[in-house]
Amino acid sequence: MTAIARLTRADIALLTRAELRKLATTYTFLVTLAIAIAVSVLSVVADAYEAGMNGTAPLGTDASTYQMLKLGAVCCVATLVLGIVAAGGEYRRRTIIPAMLITPRRGALVAAKATAIAIAGVVLSGLTFGLGLATVVAELHARGLHELPPGTTRMFVGSVAAATLFGLIGVALGYITRSTVAAVVGAVGWVLFAELAILGALSPLIFNVAMPALDEHLHWPWQPGGIMQTSGQRARLG
């Protein structure tokens, strides 16, 4: 290992500590964490209140509990915004200038920022999902229910991992756009509206086109009123 490589690792370690100090001593992380926790807790309470109403699964069933535990979107959006603000805010507040003067190697600076946001993302998403899970347990316990579905741990780990990756995406967007407002509006708008609208419009179309073709190749040719219709399948299985 060369001296340059060792120096780069040492620089990244020191810069990462500095970035973590920035997050710990500013309101950005604390405000984002507070909002994410509030949204997750309110979401759980709302889902618990609506359980068993309007055709939803009753409280205590696996389907109802999984619905309450769908907190991954909250964690992902929170860490995405945190990453954007942490990176893009450097240009807005002009703190990027002393940072670049201290560390001319931009790669080391970006790596330190990404590492710090990854650590902060794990903490933020872990606390957000953890307190949401505690609220779920409290809601179930208040009604005499004491069991969680088997996929709870998988949802927890998956939400934390996805949120951490979204935080890194936020760092990249912040450095690319160099505009906190534009990056936040664009990224959150895409995640919450454009992506859902596109998937919501295309998914039924893709399903309707692909499934008949798949059935035709794997089973029997699809025809109106034929064996691949629901009535035909019931008659064949019955």
Side-chain angles (χ1 to χ4, degrees):
M1 184 182 295
T2 64
I4 295 177
R6 287 196 297 269
L7 180 60
T8 301
R9 286 191 176 183
D11 288 344
I12 293 175
L14 292 174
L15 287 170
T16 301
R17 275 189 222 164
E19 294 295 336
L20 290 173
R21 262 197 304 269
K22 285 182 188 178
L23 292 173
T25 55
T26 59
Y27 291 110
T28 303
F29 178 78
L30 295 177
V31 170
T32 305
L33 176 62
I35 293 175
I37 291 174
V39 171
S40 66
V41 171
L42 291 176
S43 174
V44 170
V45 172
D47 287 335
Y49 176 77
E50 295 178 356
M53 302 169 57
N54 301 321
T56 59
L59 191 67
T61 60
D62 287 355
S64 174
T65 305
Y66 283 138
Q67 178 63 33
M68 290 190 290
L69 288 173
K70 287 182 178 180
L71 304 172
V74 178
C75 299
C76 289
V77 172
T79 54
L80 177 66
V81 173
L82 180 64
I84 291 173
V85 173
E90 296 274 16
Y91 293 93
R92 182 181 178 184
R93 298 181 180 87
R94 307 297 183 187
T95 55
I96 190 66
I97 297 175
M100 289 301 299
L101 290 174
I102 295 172
T103 310
R105 288 192 290 270
R106 184 167 297 184
L109 187 63
V110 173
K113 180 76 73 175
T115 304
I117 291 298
I119 296 172
V122 171
V123 175
L124 187 149
S125 56
L127 289 175
T128 300
F129 196 101
L131 290 176
L133 177 60
T135 307
V136 172
V137 173
E139 290 285 350
L140 295 176
H141 184 75
R143 293 164 176 80
L145 304 170
H146 307 286
E147 292 185 2
L148 292 172
T152 301
T153 302
R154 187 169 62 251
M155 291 185 71
F156 181 89
V157 174
S159 297
V160 172
T164 303
L165 293 177
F166 267 80
L168 297 178
I169 293 173
V171 172
L173 288 174
Y175 277 124
I176 291 171
T177 61
R178 300 186 180 184
S179 173
T180 305
V181 176
V184 169
V185 172
V188 175
W190 174 262
V191 171
L192 295 182
F193 300 105
E195 186 173 319
L196 293 178
I198 292 172
L199 291 178
L202 291 182
S203 294
L205 177 61
I206 294 173
F207 181 83
N208 292 333
V209 171
M211 287 307 295
L214 184 63
D215 287 336
E216 184 174 351
H217 286 287
L218 296 181
H219 300 288
W220 297 274
W222 185 89
Q223 295 177 355
I227 194 171
M228 290 309 298
Q229 289 284 344
T230 303
S231 58
Q233 288 293 320
R234 287 176 179 173
R236 186 174 66 87
L237 296 175

